[in-house]
Amino acid sequence: KYVLLANLMYDITTACTSIVMQDNNGTIFHGRNLDYAFPDILRNATYIGDFQRGGKTSFVVTTYASYFGVLSGMRPNAFTISADQRAVGAVWENVASAMLINTSRPLGFLVREVTSTD
């Protein structure tokens, strides 16, 4: 039950912020935070995953242990992506809507699909 909760936590709580900036040399930086109320737990469970195909990096993610989705990812020389907070409706309305739409799935799973697809 804890793994299921970890994989639905973002969709239920939605709390993160990202920033994208470019320096004078044209280098683009993409940063984000995880605004959860339990930073000590996440600090010890967060890692950078380097997913490879044929010995080359296909995509890189920042995620936490037991989470199968992706909230922050990067495809080298292509793009970066992050899921961030959205404040639309009450939690129960969002959950009900997701359950009634048969194409709904957790956001992190969609971001993982986008990040991992060639």
Side-chain angles (χ1 to χ4, degrees):
K1 68 182 177 185
Y2 294 114
V3 171
L4 176 62
L5 179 62
N7 282 276
L8 295 176
M9 182 173 57
Y10 186 82
D11 295 88
I12 294 169
T13 62
T14 63
C16 292
T17 306
S18 293
I19 184 170
V20 178
M21 62 179 271
Q22 185 174 16
D23 69 10
N24 292 336
N25 297 322
T27 303
I28 297 174
F29 297 89
H30 181 175
R32 71 100 36 88
N33 64 5
L34 295 169
D35 294 335
Y36 290 112
F38 38 90
D40 292 335
I41 294 171
L42 280 181
R43 185 176 298 112
N44 294 320
T46 302
Y47 67 94
I48 296 173
D50 183 336
F51 292 81
Q52 299 198 358
R53 288 189 183 119
K56 295 174 78 173
T57 297
S58 177
F59 64 102
V60 179
V61 303
T62 302
T63 190
Y64 50 91
S66 79
Y67 187 65
F68 303 124
V70 170
L71 297 176
S72 301
M74 175 196 73
R75 286 190 61 81
N77 303 311
F79 65 87
T80 63
I81 188 170
S82 59
D84 294 302
Q85 180 175 351
R86 48 99 177 94
V88 178
V91 171
W92 70 268
E93 292 173 315
N94 293 327
V95 171
S97 175
M99 292 172 61
L100 294 173
I101 300 171
N102 68 1
T103 58
S104 293
R105 58 187 162 172
L107 176 63
F109 291 13
L110 176 61
V111 175
R112 182 181 178 124
E113 181 180 323
V114 168
T115 307
S116 65
T117 301
D118 287 331

